[in-house]
Amino acid sequence: MKDNVLLRVESLHKHYPVHDRFLFRRPQLVYAVDGVSLEINRGETFGLVGESGCGKSTLGRLILCLEEFTSGKIIFDDKVITEHNKVKLRELRREMQIVFQDPYSSLNPRKTAGDIVVEPFIVHHLGDRKERQRQVERLLKVVGLLPEHASRYPHEFSGGQRQRIGIARALALNPKFIILDEPVASLDVSIQAQVINLLKDLQNQYNLTYLFISHDLGVIKRISNRMGVMYLGRIVELGDSRVLFRDPQHPYTKALLSAIPQLIQAKKKKRILLEGDVPSPINLPSGCRFHTRCHYFVEKCKTVDPILEEVSPSHWVACHLHQG
């Protein structure tokens, strides 16, 4: 593995069986994640975007081994974690954490903010009571809350404050890598900016590596160094965020970027409207999965499934339009 690569995902698959009322019929499969490969470098923010149901959050849970994978490999810090047993995975939890999307449901309403933040120390048997109390106060200050907030319950906080508690909990064990699963999606725009600025400050302060999952391209543009675009369980474009926003190559990426609101009239781009609905992840289209909604498809798209190929330095696209 390259020295600068913290996480590598190799051909990762997650297929869910769907059973119906006919007991002897072979169950169908939902192809939630279907052959994803990517690398995330140390200290960077990798943005993962796509429509709802494309497999973004499932990929995040698979990376943390919160769900069993169907096939593939995950290498974290030179360790193949998909081969770890439960004991080794428990140790790994100290280095990999997650901040969930909904701050209203990800916090236990029966526990105070202090109880929520101190829980990782208890689970991993770290520190005595006084040391844990000091750590809780420190972490609350780090995320912009006050020590006296430790005695309050989640319903006494605003949405932005609840998300700060979730971030404090994720930081408790000094992780190297944090998955941010739509962390600002349920917040007001002004609060979103505050949380994003906090995440940037924490990344610089603690040398954190982020996987930032979102459907909001405006947020991804602001925070990510590199990004991947997912469609029906696969990554269709991958590269430097500035390059993808300036010169997208995949028709799906172009359509997503055209939907970003532009304040300046001169910079407004023609909106690309995708026809039809996203195909079912159970009955996937043959060939390129996007060809049923693509304005540029050719006959080859109907039969041959394109693979990710490098079209320019560090810019990868899975599209027949850019392949020989």
Side-chain angles (χ1 to χ4, degrees), residues 98-103 106 159-160 162-164 166-167 178-188 191-192 195-196 199 210-215 219-220 223:
I98 186 170
V99 176
F100 295 98
Q101 173 179 353
D102 187 1
S106 62
R162 293 186 195 190
Q163 199 60 289
R164 289 172 186 267
I167 294 171
I178 298 179
I179 293 179
L180 303 162
D181 189 4
E182 306 252 20
V184 298
S186 60
L187 305 178
D188 293 338
I191 306 301
Q192 286 185 9
V195 173
I196 290 173
L199 291 171
Y210 292 150
L211 170 59
F212 197 103
I213 299 171
S214 180
H215 65 273
V219 172
I220 290 293
I223 197 171

Side-chain angles (χ1 to χ4, degrees), residues 285-288 291 297-306 320:
S286 60
C288 175
H291 86 264
F297 80 92
V298 294
E299 287 301 315
K300 184 178 181 181
C301 300
K302 297 181 180 180
T303 56
V304 181
D305 194 3
H320 293 306

Side-chain angles (χ1 to χ4, degrees), residues 131-169:
E131 175 60 22
R132 291 171 182 173
Q133 182 63 32
R134 286 194 293 269
Q135 290 295 333
V136 169
E137 293 179 359
R138 178 186 68 83
L139 288 164
L140 291 177
K141 289 180 180 178
V142 164
V143 298
L145 298 175
L146 301 174
E148 50 264 35
H149 286 151
S151 61
R152 298 184 185 179
Y153 288 87
H155 72 269
E156 299 179 75
F157 294 97
S158 66
Q161 289 175 322
R162 293 186 195 190
Q163 199 60 289
R164 289 172 186 267
I165 295 171
I167 294 171
R169 177 176 58 187

Side-chain angles (χ1 to χ4, degrees), residues 9-16 29-37 54-56 58-59 62 70-71 230-235 281 284-285 287 289 305-306:
V9 176
E10 297 181 356
S11 192
L12 194 63
H13 294 76
K14 177 59 179 179
H15 302 160
Y16 295 97
L29 295 176
V30 175
Y31 298 88
V33 175
D34 197 32
V36 169
S37 298
C54 71
K56 305 186 301 296
T58 301
L59 177 60
L62 291 174
T70 303
S71 64
M230 281 193 74
Y231 185 78
L232 279 180
R234 288 188 178 174
I235 290 183
L284 294 171
R289 300 181 180 189
D305 194 3

Side-chain angles (χ1 to χ4, degrees), residues 52-71:
S52 297
C54 71
K56 305 186 301 296
S57 296
T58 301
L59 177 60
R61 293 195 297 270
L62 291 174
I63 290 173
L64 291 179
C65 298
L66 297 178
E67 293 193 25
E68 293 185 3
F69 64 101
T70 303
S71 64

Side-chain angles (χ1 to χ4, degrees), residues 310-322:
E310 194 171 20
V311 296
S312 62
S314 300
H315 188 175
W316 301 74
V317 181
C319 180
H320 293 306
L321 295 176
H322 305 284

Side-chain angles (χ1 to χ4, degrees), residues 87-276:
V87 175
K88 289 186 177 181
L89 282 177
R90 186 184 183 90
E91 297 174 357
L92 184 71
R93 303 293 183 210
R94 298 179 60 173
E95 299 183 355
M96 305 174 72
Q97 292 291 320
I98 186 170
V99 176
F100 295 98
Q101 173 179 353
D102 187 1
Y104 296 93
S105 62
S106 62
L107 304 181
N108 190 330
R110 297 184 179 182
K111 291 188 176 183
T112 64
D115 293 336
I116 291 169
V117 176
V118 80
E119 190 171 10
F121 296 101
I122 296 173
V123 170
H124 290 272
H125 309 290
L126 299 176
D128 56 22
R129 185 174 181 179
K130 289 185 178 180
E131 175 60 22
R132 291 171 182 173
Q133 182 63 32
R134 286 194 293 269
Q135 290 295 333
V136 169
E137 293 179 359
R138 178 186 68 83
L139 288 164
L140 291 177
K141 289 180 180 178
V142 164
V143 298
L145 298 175
L146 301 174
E148 50 264 35
H149 286 151
S151 61
R152 298 184 185 179
Y153 288 87
H155 72 269
E156 299 179 75
F157 294 97
S158 66
Q161 289 175 322
R162 293 186 195 190
Q163 199 60 289
R164 289 172 186 267
I165 295 171
I167 294 171
R169 177 176 58 187
L171 289 173
L173 301 177
N174 295 317
K176 297 178 181 178
F177 177 65
I178 298 179
I179 293 179
L180 303 162
D181 189 4
E182 306 252 20
V184 298
S186 60
L187 305 178
D188 293 338
V189 174
S190 59
I191 306 301
Q192 286 185 9
Q194 295 175 18
V195 173
I196 290 173
N197 289 335
L198 171 64
L199 291 171
K200 285 184 174 181
D201 292 341
L202 293 174
Q203 185 175 38
N204 294 330
Q205 184 176 351
Y206 295 102
N207 193 29
L208 297 169
T209 302
Y210 292 150
L211 170 59
F212 197 103
I213 299 171
S214 180
H215 65 273
D216 190 332
L217 283 161
V219 172
I220 290 293
K221 183 178 182 180
R222 182 175 178 184
I223 197 171
S224 68
N225 305 108
R226 292 189 305 125
M227 62 181 284
V229 181
M230 281 193 74
Y231 185 78
L232 279 180
R234 288 188 178 174
I235 290 183
V236 296
E237 188 161 6
L238 179 68
D240 183 274
S241 296
R242 293 170 297 179
V243 174
L244 263 67
F245 276 93
R246 183 179 66 249
D247 187 27
Q249 297 296 310
H250 197 281
Y252 179 60
T253 309
K254 293 180 180 180
L256 291 180
L257 295 180
S258 74
I260 300 177
Q262 300 289 338
L263 296 178
I264 302 176
Q265 185 68 30
K267 292 185 177 182
K268 289 186 177 180
K269 300 178 181 179
K270 183 179 179 181
R271 178 72 184 274
I272 301 174
L273 298 177
L274 297 178
E275 298 178 357

